[in-house]
Amino acid sequence: MENTQPIDDSGRRRLLQGAALAGLTALLAACGTTAVKTSQRPRPSRPSGDTSLSNISADGNGREILLYTIGLLDGGYQFGGSNPEAGLDCSGMVSYIYQNAVGIRLPHNAARIAALARPIPDTQMQVGDLVFFNTMNRPFSHMGLFIGDGKFVHAPRTNSTIRVARLDNVYFAPRYEGARTVLRA
């Protein structure tokens, strides 16, 4: 008789993340950077929209940031969290990725990161740039990492996981405050 043991949720998540990372690595190796055009205020779409990773590509620092970001998908949220084992909040996720992917130290606060970063037009956004939202009736109260194709990754709230969302999502589009970069002068 064969000895099979069921895979627990964390093992399944690691297996899926590893497979996704391997597929994304192969895809990135074959692709170049593509320009993504979005408007200053993305027009809302239906709540979920296409959040697949099939049209995502990046070069240089953007590729390193993207690989770290994809590896954190489905990781847990923790308010004030600054490492994947304990969970991450939105600014903790961005700070963790930037420190580990490209060696850039950022504060653990969305508004402070926004103050350090340079505003850029949406037409100039590249993978790894930062997107900011007003979700708590105060500027720069939420943020995420732009991954291309009108999509970003963020750590949304308690009892949720790090996930992909669209800038034109019906919730995020009206709360969008713009893109900023720390990668380019």
Side-chain angles (χ1 to χ4, degrees):
M1 179 174 260
E2 192 175 301
N3 183 13
T4 59
Q5 294 181 348
I7 298 174
D8 66 4
D9 285 339
S10 64
R12 183 176 292 115
R13 183 171 53 228
R14 283 192 301 274
L15 181 64
L16 289 172
Q17 286 176 340
L21 187 57
L24 183 60
T25 301
L27 177 66
L28 289 173
C31 299
T33 302
T34 57
V36 175
K37 287 189 174 186
T38 60
S39 63
Q40 185 60 23
R41 286 273 180 196
R43 290 183 18 190
S45 69
R46 51 183 229 257
S48 59
D50 171 27
T51 57
S52 71
L53 302 175
S54 61
N55 292 323
I56 306 300
S57 65
D59 289 327
N61 284 339
R63 178 177 288 175
E64 292 301 312
I65 290 169
L66 182 60
L67 290 174
Y68 266 89
T69 303
I70 298 303
L72 293 176
L73 286 176
D74 294 325
Y77 176 93
Q78 175 63 46
F79 180 76
S82 60
N83 69 68
E85 292 78 28
L88 297 162
D89 62 12
C90 66
S91 60
M93 179 195 77
V94 169
S95 297
Y96 176 85
I97 291 168
Y98 265 75
Q99 175 67 43
N100 289 286
V102 292
I104 296 174
R105 228 178 161 76
L106 295 173
H108 187 154
N109 179 284
R112 287 182 51 212
I113 293 172
L116 293 172
R118 183 178 61 81
I120 54 171
D122 291 349
T123 55
Q124 293 179 14
M125 284 195 305
Q126 296 177 10
V127 173
D129 285 335
L130 310 172
V131 289
F132 292 89
F133 304 89
N134 180 338
T135 59
M136 301 176 75
N137 291 321
R138 69 177 190 270
F140 310 115
S141 54
H142 186 61
M143 68 181 303
L145 279 165
F146 182 71
I147 60 169
D149 196 31
K151 300 169 188 166
F152 68 102
V153 172
H154 67 123
R157 66 187 169 279
T158 302
N159 296 324
S160 68
T161 59
I162 295 170
R163 64 185 67 169
V164 176
R166 295 191 52 83
L167 287 168
D168 61 2
N169 171 287
V170 69
Y171 177 79
F172 289 108
R175 292 165 175 82
Y176 181 67
E177 293 192 305
R180 293 175 180 247
T181 189
V182 295
L183 296 175
R184 300 180 305 280

